[in-house]
């Protein structure tokens, strides 16, 4: 076991998969000579050469379109979008093409493609380096959406994504890149896509969350324990398809739910989870399904403004405490 | 003309590149088959048996002539919805096409999931056609990138209309393909219209081929009603690509002989004169005259050929009509790999 | 009063607004000489000329980007996307630009832009002429999203959208274009954005829906009346910002809710409505919040397949009946 | 050279277009002010007072020379994040720029909502800069379309880097602008890098200006370190646009004298030699030499000027540092019109 940051774990996963399977390629802006603006692809060009680690023009549509084509012809491309905020030009290729290729060809063609993108607020990035775009993709059948919160999961899930036969959006929270460290085994392992993890057990309130907010939920749980409020923290890890069994089991235990994310509230991922629970577990609920989410605005730059918009541990604590008392 | 270099018409040689007499007749057969299937689609649509027809009429020489220069099942092809002639030349059959058109469970392209004319064939490396215009262009660059990485001497052919060249996809695809000198041919069937929008409102240049100049790659203009000229032009591009000399943009000037689709009323934007003029550029009689002049075709042979095609089409229609639709339970399959 | 179809009402609204305000322009593919593939812009070129009714190249990114620029410089552009399925190439311009211009400039710049697009299944359009894309835009603060179901609303809401100072996505259901007729007053009127309409009163179950499904909900209500089940039908009309008051008032009356749409289920607009109710009206609910929605697949072409995926009156009736009996 | 026509360098005339001596000094002052502000940003960033700095160092001649050919407050301008020199030339002040950089409530561009260097000024028709590269290009076409429709003799200037020319936005914008002969100038500050990606991996042509050939519009190459050459070239394009003669693409070759931003470590991809070479192309000493040679500048005047600029910058920084941040309650405003 070695201690690794999230970004190191991602780099390890890429290097190991490139080594393991000649079909894996990496492409994107600044991924080669530079090694990526977050260093996630550092050293890959030197080891694997310019045919497999490709510095592309500044053209997200082209990056994803080209990656799709290469996947059709037998490769396993891992495309990097430099910031999730810049993924929109590729939406047509992702949603109309990658997501629908298998369905529309009645299973004849598939699209084993991974799109990696750093996302999330809390790094003083303003409107265009802070976005949480995962909800858009969770609305598209045919895609998978993964959001690891730890180095262990980042590595294991990225490997699973690369080996998956379907297109996977792999969102890496910028705030976890260097700040979250953890044990990562040396050898090869995968973390299966589609399984949540219960990060802390508790009897009173379930917090369903993902990404960097998992760590804030754990903080909130620790803060509330002295008050006698036992919080269960579920890390979704995969947002599409999400793990209904684990969430349902947790809710069946606690009967109270907070769904939390840094994305803004309206039609964020939390909406789907809440709607599912309100339909399928209605009888088990002992209180309203509370959503903790960002305000419905873009993410502003000034710290005073960003803090007013994006929720943190404090908002979680308040919401859990109120719900526990319900 | 200011831009001589890039759009000088590529002309067929007197004796086309190594084609035997049998191959010439084969070209004609494919064009005639494509036309016959296409005409039948319109009839079936008018009879209410098909909800929709989209046409390749007028494009046959461009489609058949270009696809004939490829290696079916080895080279990769990304066609668009008009490319009936392309997929027939590569090896799809009349039956395949009608099974798809009737949205049958056994339709090879999509098992009834897609509209007619959205071709696909895994075995023939024909990538599933979608409706959004131009998305296949960057994908074609990617297919070619993979061939290059694998060290295969495989070529990718990407088909699209003039309308597609206005989209960002076109730019990003040609830019990338040219930077990496990928073995891909971008083949534009320029019929002068994107539904009702004429070329002059689509682009500030007179020829699609001129767009190649921004990418430092060969932009060839060819008369798309001359099947041999198309074949020759495409073959040269394919040879360049196979030799590692990079991509080519080919513009084949063709004429759309029908409305855009069966949903379209072209009298709203096309004058009678313009439509009559288009009819003058029908590639079939043109090629027929050439074959007759070379003594390869006469009335008797033509009649036999037509009769064989008619039978093939009728049998295909009968088979497709009789085939079952997809079962409702199929609808939930293949969203993800099993 | 004259009887009009939805598409005629839209054409009337466009013509009247073009006449009323020189700043209004119409642009898109085939909107000029052709009059639009659904004839929504028929006759506009002849009356208003090529400077104000612009046939564009096939380039959705450019159409919307150009429209945004013209709005910045004082115009009131109405851009047509030929089918909602083809809106993805314009997503970057819509989501990163139009939606955020006002916020990012601290209110100095605005973007009074309307994007019209035909949407929805049930016209044998297959994967790329059947999509319901409204949910993507409902997730974006700064946008408004409108989905009329009647000729009256289509005209009044389109006028309101054109006069609105913010970007409005105006989705017109293809199935209503010619099939839904209704009385439309001759004179000028607007239907305010953001207000739902109760289409039918009932005490037992509220059906919250929008677009073409409003008509199926009314059918279902009529079918269930003889059984003694009184269904209230709420037509949202605007999806962002949606009318919480009217929905909440209806739910307070019936205490049982079906949220219905033709879009697929996961993270469809129904998720937000259900999540809102599960949080804010939890105490009022006498049963699970039921969602009637399409299966999580693309929309296939063959009628056997499309019917298996897209819900209709039958699915509504079943769901309402079950919920009423809960 | 194959493409002579489009990228022959446009050279400044011996006597530049009607510029007085005072204007020449004004150009220098603006360039020096831009440089001084820019350098201070980096200092503040290193001191931890600013989270981020992005630079225009090396681009000043291109920015100031081109913006000087516009009519501030009348013409429209869509800059990008490097365009400090552009916005100063149009009339924004050092104070404005630092208020923005410190994300203050009174920051004129966004009241602290955007990162530094995301300029905007309603009064000066400077459209709010966003971070996504190239989105401003189709918008610029639209701004110009509106001016044309209104019958105003107003010109739109759109700025961007070489990286932006690879995006679909570039293609769709130039295509549309050329079809409609819109009064817009597309001004590319080509510094040879998109962060770490050199021109050769971005495009298959040697000059951005060559991309103009696909749109049948003038593509001008100009030495972007020569402020008078830039002014002359831009002025001609502006005059053409104002006269209704349509758009121009200008490529100003410049050198990025710093890392991409303060977040960047350019030693990963730029050799010492290449950076030293870039330093040789600093536009400021070049223009200083010219002004000295013309007798317009001497040590004394330069010292006065520098001192005035230093004071202006220091006062601006002091004012901005002292200014209050936006109130948290502001965060929810302006999502929609009131
Ligand atoms: C992205 C996108 N926008 C709009 C459409 C609707 N549409 C279908 S075909 C077509 C015109 C295509 O013209 P062209 O590329 O010249 O091909 P042609 O049909 O003339 O062969 C349009 C606008 C579409 N399919 N995709
Ligand atoms: C659409 C998009 N993709 C990626 C980025 C990240 N990014 C910011 S600046 C930049 C390079 C821009 O290069 P260029 O256009 O040449 O401008 P320069 O910074 O060299 O002046 C990149 C890739 C972005 N801002 N927008
Ligand atoms: Mg065409
Ligand atoms: Mg650059």
């Amino acid at each position: 076991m070695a201690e690794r940051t999230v970004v190191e774990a991602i780099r390890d996963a890429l290097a190991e998969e490139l080594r393991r399977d000649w079909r894996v390629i990496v492409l994107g802006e600044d991924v080669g000579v530079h090694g990526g603006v977050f260093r996630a692809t550092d050293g890959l060009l030197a080891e694997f050469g310019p045919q497999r680690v490709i510095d592309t023009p500044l053209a997200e549509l082209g990056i994803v379109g080209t990656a799709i084509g290469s996947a059709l012809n037998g490769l396993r491309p891992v495309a990097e979008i430099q910031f999730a905020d810049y993924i929109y030009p590729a939406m047509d290729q992702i949603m109309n093409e990658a997501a629908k290729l298998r369905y529309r060809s009645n299973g004849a063609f598939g699209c084993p493609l991974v799109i990696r993108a750093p996302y999330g607020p809390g790094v003083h990035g303003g409107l265009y380096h802070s976005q949480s775009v995962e909800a858009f993709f969770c609305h598209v059948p045919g895609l998978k959406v993964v959001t690891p919160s730890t180095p262990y999961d980042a590595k294991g899930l990225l490997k699973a994504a690369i080996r998956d036969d379907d297109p996977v959006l792999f969102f890496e929270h910028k705030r976890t890149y260097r700040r979250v460290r953890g044990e990562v085994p040396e050898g090869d392992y995968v973390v299966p896509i589609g399984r949540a993890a219960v990060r802390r057990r508790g009897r009173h309130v379930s917090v369903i969350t993902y990404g960097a907010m998992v760590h804030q939920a754990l903080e909130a749980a620790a803060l509330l324990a002295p008050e006698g409020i036992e919080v269960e923290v579920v890390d979704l890890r995969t947002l599409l398809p999400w793990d209904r069994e684990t969430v349902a089991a947790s809710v069946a235990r606690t009967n109270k739910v907070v769904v939390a994310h840094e994305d803004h509230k309206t039609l964020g991922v939390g909406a789907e989870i809440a709607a599912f629970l309100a339909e399928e577990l209605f009888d088990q609920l002992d209180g309203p399904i509370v959503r903790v989410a960002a305000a419905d605005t873009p993410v502003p730059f000034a710290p005073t403004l960003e803090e007013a918009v994006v929720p943190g541990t404090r908002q979680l604590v308040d919401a859990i405490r109120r719900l526990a008392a319900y | 003309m200011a831009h001589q270099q890039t759009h000088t018409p590529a002309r067929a040689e007197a004796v086309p590149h190594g084609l035997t007499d049998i191959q010439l007749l084969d070209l004609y057969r494919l064009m005639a088959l494509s036309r016959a299937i296409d005409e039948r689609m319109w009839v079936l649509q008018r009879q209410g048996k098909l909800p929709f027809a989209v046409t390749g009429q007028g494009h046959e020489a461009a489609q058949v002539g270009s696809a004939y220069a490829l290696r079916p099942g080895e080279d990769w092809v990304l066609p668009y919805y008009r490319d009936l002639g392309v997929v027939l030349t590569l090896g799809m059959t009349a039956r395949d096409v009608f099974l798809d058109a009737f949205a049958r469970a056994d339709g090879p392209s999509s098992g009834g999931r897609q509209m007619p004319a959205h071709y696909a064939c895994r075995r023939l490396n024909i990538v599933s056609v979608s409706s959004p215009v131009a998305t296949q262009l960057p994908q074609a660059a990617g297919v070619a990138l993979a061939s290059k990485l694998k060290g295969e001497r495989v070529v990718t052919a990407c088909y699209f209309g003039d309308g597609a060249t206005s989209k960002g996809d076109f730019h990003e695809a040609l830019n990338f393909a040219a930077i990496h000198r990928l073995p891909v041919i971008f083949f534009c069937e320029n019929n002068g219209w994107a539904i009702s929008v004429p070329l002059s409102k689509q682009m500030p240049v007179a020829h699609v081929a001129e767009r190649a100049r921004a990418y430092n790659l060969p932009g060839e203009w060819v008369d798309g009603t001359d099947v041999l000229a198309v074949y020759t032009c495409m073959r040269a591009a394919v040879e360049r690509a196979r030799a590692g000399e990079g991509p080519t943009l080919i513009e084949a000037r063709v004429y759309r002989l029908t409305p855009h689709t069966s949903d379209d009323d072209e009298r709203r934007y096309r004058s009678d004169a313009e439509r009559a003029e288009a009819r003058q550029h029908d590639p079939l009689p043109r090629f027929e005259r050439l074959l007759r002049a070379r003594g390869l075709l006469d009335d008797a042979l033509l009649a036999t050929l037509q009769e064989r095609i008619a039978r093939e089409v009728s049998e295909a229609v009968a088979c497709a009509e009789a085939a079952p639709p997809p079962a409702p339970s199929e609808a939930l399959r293949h969203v993800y790999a099993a």
Side-chain angles (χ1 to χ4, degrees), chain A, chain B:
Chain A
M1 292 282 237
E3 232 207 18
R4 282 270 182 279
T5 61
V6 168
V7 75
E8 286 164 354
I10 285 163
R11 183 164 54 227
D12 289 349
L14 290 171
E16 290 176 24
E17 291 301 299
L18 279 156
R19 240 170 259 140
R20 199 185 62 87
D21 185 349
W22 64 267
R23 298 171 307 171
V24 177
I25 63 168
V26 166
L27 71 168
E29 296 155 13
D30 306 294
V31 299
V33 178
H34 187 296
V37 298
F38 290 102
R39 307 275 184 276
T41 55
D42 202 18
L44 300 184
L45 176 69
E47 181 171 352
F48 303 101
Q51 284 225 312
R52 296 183 65 203
V53 180
I54 303 167
D55 271 323
T56 66
L58 202 169
E60 286 78 8
L61 185 174
I63 291 169
V64 174
T66 308
I68 292 172
S70 75
L72 286 166
N73 193 1
L75 301 191
R76 300 243 149 196
V78 182
E80 177 177 304
I81 301 293
Q82 200 161 82
F83 285 85
D85 315 60
Y86 306 133
I87 204 168
Y88 300 97
M91 284 232 175
D92 194 35
Q93 289 288 342
I94 298 172
M95 286 155 175
N96 267 338
E97 298 293 326
K100 296 182 172 60
L101 258 162
R102 183 180 304 281
Y103 192 84
R104 79 180 191 227
S105 66
N106 207 17
F109 289 93
C111 189
L113 157 71
V114 177
I115 300 176
R116 292 181 43 246
Y119 80 110
V123 295
H124 306 302
L127 283 83
Y128 300 108
H129 302 81
S130 303
Q131 292 181 36
S132 303
V133 300
E134 58 275 16
F136 295 116
F137 302 95
C138 291
H139 183 54
V140 182
L143 301 179
K144 300 185 177 181
V145 180
V146 174
T147 49
S149 69
T150 67
Y152 181 89
D153 281 355
K155 184 171 175 188
L157 281 165
L158 183 50
K159 286 180 164 239
I162 292 171
R163 300 177 196 182
D164 199 283
D165 286 334
D166 288 311
V168 180
L169 279 288
F170 194 89
F171 293 118
E172 306 163 3
H173 203 295
K174 296 186 290 287
R175 220 166 60 237
T176 67
Y177 264 156
R178 270 165 244 288
R179 283 188 229 173
V180 177
R181 314 187 137 268
E183 295 293 315
V184 175
E186 297 289 341
D188 186 47
Y189 68 95
V190 297
V191 174
I193 289 176
R195 300 247 197 91
V198 179
R199 296 291 180 198
R200 180 186 174 117
R201 291 271 174 190
R203 290 177 306 150
H204 300 132
V205 173
S206 296
V207 177
I208 317 296
T209 189
Y210 57 91
M213 206 160 216
V214 169
H215 304 287
Q216 287 163 306
L218 291 169
E219 257 173 52
L223 287 169
L224 287 164
E227 301 178 22
I229 302 175
E230 293 180 23
V231 179
E232 178 145 316
V233 177
V234 180
D235 178 356
L236 288 169
R237 303 201 288 191
T238 297
L239 304 183
L240 184 71
W242 61 281
D243 184 348
R244 294 158 181 225
E245 289 70 34
T246 301
V247 170
S250 175
V251 173
R253 279 194 293 275
T254 61
N255 309 112
K256 290 188 179 173
V257 198
V258 171
V259 187
H261 49 62
E262 292 176 303
D263 192 8
H264 53 270
K265 190 171 200 174
T266 298
L267 271 175
V269 168
E272 179 59 29
I273 291 163
F276 169 82
L277 295 172
E279 182 160 13
E280 305 292 342
L281 271 84
F282 181 74
D283 290 332
Q284 317 249 15
L285 294 171
D286 285 347
I289 303 170
V290 175
R291 283 188 286 169
V292 173
D296 282 323
T297 71
V299 181
F301 174 68
T304 50
L305 299 176
E306 184 171 8
E307 278 159 32
V309 161
V310 179
T313 307
R314 192 170 52 73
Q315 285 81 355
L316 280 167
V317 165
D318 290 350
I320 297 165
R321 199 183 275 135
R322 247 182 294 124
L323 184 59
Y326 181 88
Chain B
M1 258 186 302
H3 310 301
Q4 200 82 28
Q5 192 192 356
T6 46
H7 67 265
T8 304
R11 280 187 204 293
E13 296 132 87
V15 178
H17 242 317
L19 288 174
T20 64
D21 288 353
I22 288 171
Q23 287 176 312
L24 292 179
L25 280 173
D26 197 32
L27 283 172
Y28 184 77
R29 181 188 62 80
L30 287 161
M31 289 168 63
L33 176 63
S34 183
R35 177 66 56 90
I37 292 173
D38 200 308
E39 287 175 342
R40 183 65 72 90
M41 292 284 181
W42 286 83
V43 171
L44 291 164
Q45 191 274 333
R46 274 190 297 266
Q47 292 172 341
K49 292 190 174 176
L50 287 179
F52 177 78
V54 62
T55 194
Q57 290 185 43
H59 291 225
E60 291 92 344
Q63 294 174 359
V64 172
S66 59
Y68 213 76
L70 298 169
R71 298 183 185 157
E74 181 175 334
D75 292 333
W76 281 77
V77 182
L78 295 91
Y80 79 121
Y81 49 79
R82 261 192 222 301
D83 282 321
L84 177 56
V86 170
V87 300
L88 291 172
T89 302
L90 294 169
M92 289 185 82
T93 66
R95 227 182 100 179
D96 290 341
V97 170
F98 282 108
L99 283 168
D100 280 340
F102 280 96
R104 295 316 189 201
D106 287 342
S109 298
S110 74
R113 287 153 181 250
Q114 291 223 81
M115 293 177 83
H118 286 58
Y119 310 106
C121 183
R122 188 80 195 75
R123 181 178 49 86
L124 294 171
N125 288 345
I126 298 173
V127 173
S128 166
V129 171
S130 66
S131 313
V133 164
T135 49
Q136 72 275 28
L137 278 87
Q139 292 170 21
V143 172
L145 182 78
S147 294
K148 190 176 170 185
L149 178 72
K150 292 191 270 182
E152 295 168 347
R153 283 167 55 86
V154 163
V155 161
T156 298
C158 181
Y159 289 86
F160 50 92
D162 43 298
T165 69
S166 300
K167 269 191 84 203
D169 307 59
F170 173 86
H171 180 61
E172 300 194 14
L174 270 76
N175 196 47
F176 188 86
I179 292 169
H180 291 273
R181 294 178 70 78
L182 298 178
V184 52
I185 292 102
F186 295 103
F187 191 94
C188 180
E189 301 175 32
N190 175 7
N191 60 17
W193 296 99
I195 309 187
S196 74
V197 182
L199 217 62
S200 62
K201 286 191 199 161
Q202 292 184 53
M203 58 192 77
V205 288
H207 295 272
V208 168
E210 294 181 61
R211 299 220 195 246
R213 299 163 359 114
Y215 313 102
N216 196 21
L217 56 79
E220 308 277 355
W221 188 98
V222 65
D223 178 347
T225 68
D226 177 348
V227 65
L228 300 181
V230 171
Y231 173 77
T232 305
C233 176
M234 181 72 170
R235 195 178 146 137
V238 168
E239 278 171 6
R240 275 198 302 276
R242 224 183 285 287
E245 291 164 27
T248 301
L249 171 65
I250 296 176
E251 169 187 13
R253 180 62 172 110
V254 295
Y255 295 80
R256 201 185 81 196
L257 301 183
T258 67
H260 174 67
T261 66
S262 57
D263 286 344
D264 183 35
D265 175 6
E266 67 178 352
R267 285 162 312 175
R268 301 176 67 86
Y269 55 86
R270 258 181 124 172
S271 70
D272 289 344
E274 201 268 343
R275 285 189 293 151
E277 156 71 15
R279 287 246 148 247
Q280 300 305 307
H281 297 276
D282 188 332
L284 270 116
R286 175 177 182 160
F287 194 36
E288 186 191 320
R289 281 193 301 274
L290 186 143
L291 294 176
R292 281 183 191 269
R294 294 219 186 156
L296 294 173
L297 198 65
D298 60 17
D299 290 349
L301 184 55
L302 191 61
T304 318
L305 192 74
Q306 296 289 19
E307 198 234 326
R308 228 172 49 208
I309 286 173
R311 203 168 46 231
E312 191 175 339
V313 170
S314 293
E315 281 171 14
V317 171
C319 156
E321 275 201 87
S329 61
E330 285 292 304
L332 302 182
R333 292 185 61 207
H334 300 310
V335 178
Y336 297 99

